[in-house]
């Protein structure tokens, strides 16, 4: 560094480096105050050091006597996990999410899937999908009246009057701030978000998906939350098993999730649904391709819910591949504006076969 850097600036008694240090301190203090902190935070390494370092043995000793995560929805979702549930439109994602949330608030289980909590949970269900009236109609019966969800099941929806650009510079940050406020007001331990695309308008690029998942992970850690986030699937080939590639958006979503599961629709019986584990960290896979959980939607008086009735292989619910089916799917994707490479990827065939299918060849 040149000697002049340590010499006073013209008209100043301080060297340039001292002024730079003072500026950095002022900026740091201002940043801390913005987040309700003061410089004493630096005296606590557990709050100020970004990387916590211990030996493998020390980590093992530290965690040895801590309880294992408890099941919230069987082996699909565990306590303190950020879990993604995804499915195509109109397969009942929201119905299952409400059913899971209500079961946790009522201290019951959904069908055969264990809830290992020892007391009712405080659940915040953030509903970006239904209006209040649509929600009420789902759980209302002219004779039985309204369904009971539990006194600690809270539902939140967007207030259109407050969704005003005058209140924010960044809408995504505004929604996340409102989400954090709702968590603190309800003292929620379980957060269900229906759905991810409403928090951030685009999740297709890693640059958009990564900040979203980091923010959700930060909320999870700060408030010791268990988070279930709902997401969509794009147009998929129903002759192929559901995989991580069927989650709409960047792979950053699934990479940063602790667990994920999908709802599929049987192509043999459109009224039948199945659940399949896609990613898991807290337990071994129980419900993979060879052992999916089957069920269907029912409305019992004021209770719209899933009834689970058994297990099967996923193959039993997939559409059988035929040349005519492939041609139909290729033509539909082409009408939607997709190119040969995209169609090839979705259908699992070569671009040459796509070309023949679109040309009407049966060869």
């Amino acid at each position: 560094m040149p000697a002049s850097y340590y010499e006073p600036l013209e008209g100043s008694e301080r060297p340039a480096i001292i002024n730079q240090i003072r500026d950095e301190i002022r900026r740091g203090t201002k940043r801390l105050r913005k987040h309700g902190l003061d410089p004493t935070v630096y005296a606590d390494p557990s709050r100020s050091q970004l990387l916590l370092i211990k030996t493998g043995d020390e980590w093992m000793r530290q965690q040895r006597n801590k309880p294992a995560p408890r099941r919230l929805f069987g082996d699909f979702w565990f306590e303190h996990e950020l879990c993604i549930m995804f499915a195509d439109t109109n397969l009942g994602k929201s119905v299952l999410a409400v059913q899971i949330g209500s079961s946790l608030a009522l201290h019951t289980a959904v069908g055969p899937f264990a809830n290992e909590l020892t007391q009712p949970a405080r659940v915040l269900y953030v509903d970006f999908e239904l209006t209040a009236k649509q929600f009420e109609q789902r759980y209302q019966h002219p004779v039985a009246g309204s369904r009971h969800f539990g006194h600690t099941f809270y539902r939140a929806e967007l207030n259109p009057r407050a969704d005003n650009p005058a209140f924010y510079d960044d809408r995504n940050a505004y929604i996340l701030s409102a989400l954090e406020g709702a968590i603190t007001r309800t003292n929620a331990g379980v957060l269900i978000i229906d759905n991810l695309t409403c928090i951030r308008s685009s999740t297709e690029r890693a640059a958009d998906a990564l900040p979203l998942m980091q923010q959700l992970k930060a909320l999870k850690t700060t408030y010791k939350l268990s988070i279930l986030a709902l997401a969509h699937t794009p147009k998929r080939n129903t002759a192929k098993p559901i995989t991580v590639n069927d989650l709409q958006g960047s792979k950053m979503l699934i990479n940063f999730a602790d667990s994920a599961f999908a709802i599929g629709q049987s192509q043999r019986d459109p009224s039948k649904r199945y659940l399949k584990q896609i990613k898991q960290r807290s337990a071994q896979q129980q419900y993979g391709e060879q052992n999916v959980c089957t069920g269907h939607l029912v409305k019992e008086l004021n209770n719209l819910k899933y009834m689970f009735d058994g297990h099967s292989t996923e193959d039993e619910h997939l559409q059988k591949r035929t040349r005519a089916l492939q041609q139909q799917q290729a033509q539909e994707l082409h009408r939607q504006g997709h190119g040969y490479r995209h169609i090839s990827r979705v259908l699992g065939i070569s671009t040459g076969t796509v070309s023949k299918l679109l040309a009407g060849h049966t060869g």
Side-chain angles (χ1 to χ4, degrees), residues 36-236:
L37 301 172
D38 62 63
T40 59
V41 70
Y42 291 114
D44 182 356
S46 69
R47 300 174 67 200
S48 60
Q49 288 185 359
L50 186 57
L51 294 178
L52 299 175
I53 303 172
K54 303 177 191 292
T55 66
D57 291 341
E58 287 172 330
W59 283 116
M60 294 299 288
R61 282 194 298 272
Q62 177 184 307
Q63 298 298 316
R64 185 171 298 144
N65 296 320
K66 291 187 177 180
R70 295 172 291 188
R71 289 171 174 81
L72 301 179
F73 180 54
D75 285 337
F76 290 104
W77 182 28
F78 281 75
E79 187 178 27
H80 301 145
E81 282 189 342
L82 169 51
C83 177
I84 295 177
M85 173 173 65
F86 63 97
D88 204 349
T89 304
N90 291 328
L91 291 192
K93 292 188 298 294
S94 300
V95 173
L96 182 56
V98 169
Q99 189 176 354
I100 294 170
S102 179
S103 75
L104 295 173
L106 291 168
H107 197 219
T108 60
V110 176
F113 306 116
N115 167 12
E116 295 180 334
L117 298 183
T118 57
Q119 61 185 17
R122 301 183 72 84
V123 179
L124 174 60
Y125 179 80
V126 185
D127 191 349
F128 292 111
E129 291 286 324
L130 300 180
T131 65
K133 187 61 182 177
Q134 289 168 339
F135 181 81
E136 184 263 349
Q137 287 178 320
R138 279 192 173 184
Y139 303 105
Q140 173 70 20
H141 185 269
V143 176
S146 300
R147 177 190 167 179
H148 176 57
F149 295 94
H151 297 299
T152 56
F153 178 89
Y154 298 90
R155 177 183 176 272
E157 67 177 30
L158 278 181
N159 175 5
R161 297 183 66 186
D163 191 9
N164 187 327
F167 296 145
Y168 56 82
D169 294 317
D170 181 334
R171 187 173 185 271
N172 294 328
Y174 181 54
I175 291 177
L176 279 164
S177 176
L179 198 58
E180 187 168 8
I183 292 165
T184 57
R185 289 200 302 276
T186 58
N187 194 25
V190 174
L191 172 65
I192 300 176
I193 303 170
D194 188 5
N195 65 66
L196 277 179
T197 53
C198 296
I199 295 181
R200 185 168 288 269
S201 53
S202 172
T203 56
E204 297 296 329
R205 299 182 309 134
D208 296 317
L210 178 58
L212 170 62
M213 296 305 285
Q214 287 175 327
Q215 288 160 336
L216 290 178
K217 295 275 272 192
L219 281 178
K220 183 189 81 163
T221 302
T222 301
Y223 296 100
K224 297 180 173 57
L225 295 171
S226 305
I227 301 178
L228 179 64
L230 278 58
H232 293 298
T233 61
K235 183 72 174 178
R236 60 176 296 271

Side-chain angles (χ1 to χ4, degrees), residues 24-34 37-39:
E24 288 177 356
I25 291 172
R26 277 195 291 267
R27 283 197 298 271
T29 302
K30 183 178 179 180
R31 188 169 56 246
L32 288 172
R33 286 174 178 166
K34 180 181 177 182
L37 301 172
D38 62 63

